[in-house]
């Protein structure tokens, strides 16, 4: 038995299309920065996703990128106009966008540490990823007429040879 695939609008007409469009912006900005990810998807969960594709290599890309809903809060509204028989619900959506990539680790001999040059190259790559994620938020047409608040951007530490960067922002709907 196959499960029908929900469209973003079927899942939530208020949030679905916005998330789908923002995901496309994240994937496109990483590619435009010369750092495409092999996997770029919407994920669900109360924490950042597992780094399942951190070490993947694909046509010109590496690693994985994601977006996820962190939480939903009520958004302040000046006037409540009754629509149909329900009260309108204004939402503030907390969104996270992130990317994981492999980082240099101790060699197969168990003793040779990565060089400073290898570590620096990796770090500069994450700085470029961070800029691409910020650009996705700043330039995505789907977010253009919305109230956006940048909540911060953090590195994700080296976990078994995988590291990354994630940012969070809120958008009012």
């Amino acid at each position: 038995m196959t499960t029908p695939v929900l469209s973003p609008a079927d899942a939530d007409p208020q949030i679905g299309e916005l998330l789908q469009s923002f995901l496309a912006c994240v994937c496109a900005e990483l590619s435009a920065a010369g750092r495409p990810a092999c996997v770029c998807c919407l994920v669900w969960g109360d924490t950042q996703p597992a780094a399942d594709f951190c070490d993947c290599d694909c046509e010109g890309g590496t690693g994985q990128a994601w977006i996820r809903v962190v939480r939903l809060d009520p958004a302040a509204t000046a006037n409540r106009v009754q629509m149909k028989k329900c009260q309108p619900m204004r939402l503030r959506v907390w969104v996270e966008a992130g990317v994981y990539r492999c980082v240099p680790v101790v060699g197969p001999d168990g003793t040779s540490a990565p060089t400073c040059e290898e570590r620096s190259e990796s770090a500069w790559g994450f700085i470029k990823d961070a800029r691409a994620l910020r650009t996705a938020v700043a330039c995505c047409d789907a977010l253009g007429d919305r109230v956006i608040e940048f909540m911060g951007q953090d590195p994700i530490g080296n976990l078994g040879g995988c590291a990354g960067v994630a940012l969070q922002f809120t958008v009012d709907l």
Side-chain angles (χ1 to χ4, degrees):
M1 180 174 163
T2 60
T3 304
V5 176
L6 288 173
S7 73
D10 288 339
D12 188 316
Q14 200 173 9
I15 301 170
E17 293 297 327
L18 179 118
L19 289 175
Q20 190 68 19
S21 295
F22 178 61
L23 177 62
C25 291
V26 167
C27 302
E29 285 299 332
L30 288 168
S31 290
R35 299 202 29 100
C38 297
V39 177
C40 192
C41 57
L42 172 69
V43 298
W44 186 258
D46 63 348
T47 61
Q48 293 161 345
D52 296 328
F53 300 96
C54 184
D55 64 352
C56 77
D57 285 317
C58 58
E59 297 176 27
T62 61
Q64 71 187 67
W66 75 89
I67 68 166
R68 72 181 178 100
V69 173
V70 175
R71 64 190 262 176
L72 300 171
D73 289 330
T77 180
N79 52 3
R80 292 173 55 115
V81 178
Q82 188 168 0
M83 298 169 53
K84 300 180 185 177
K85 294 182 180 180
C86 303
Q87 291 294 324
M89 185 174 288
R90 298 271 326 265
L91 292 175
R92 174 164 290 158
V93 183
W94 289 62
V95 178
E96 179 179 81
V99 63
Y100 290 134
R101 311 243 189 223
C102 286
V103 292
V105 295
V106 172
D109 62 5
T111 60
S112 56
T115 66
C116 283
E117 290 79 17
E118 291 170 323
R119 291 176 186 201
S120 292
E121 183 178 345
S122 178
W124 287 120
F126 284 115
I127 291 168
K128 194 167 188 177
D129 286 338
R131 184 182 71 184
L133 294 176
R134 290 191 311 273
T135 301
V137 174
C139 299
C140 189
D141 289 340
L143 302 175
D145 62 347
R146 307 275 184 188
V147 175
I148 303 291
E149 185 176 353
F150 181 69
M151 303 308 289
Q153 190 168 38
D154 297 303
I156 301 168
N158 184 343
L159 305 167
C162 189
V165 61
L167 69 75
Q168 290 187 1
F169 66 95
T170 63
V171 56
D172 288 354
L173 303 178

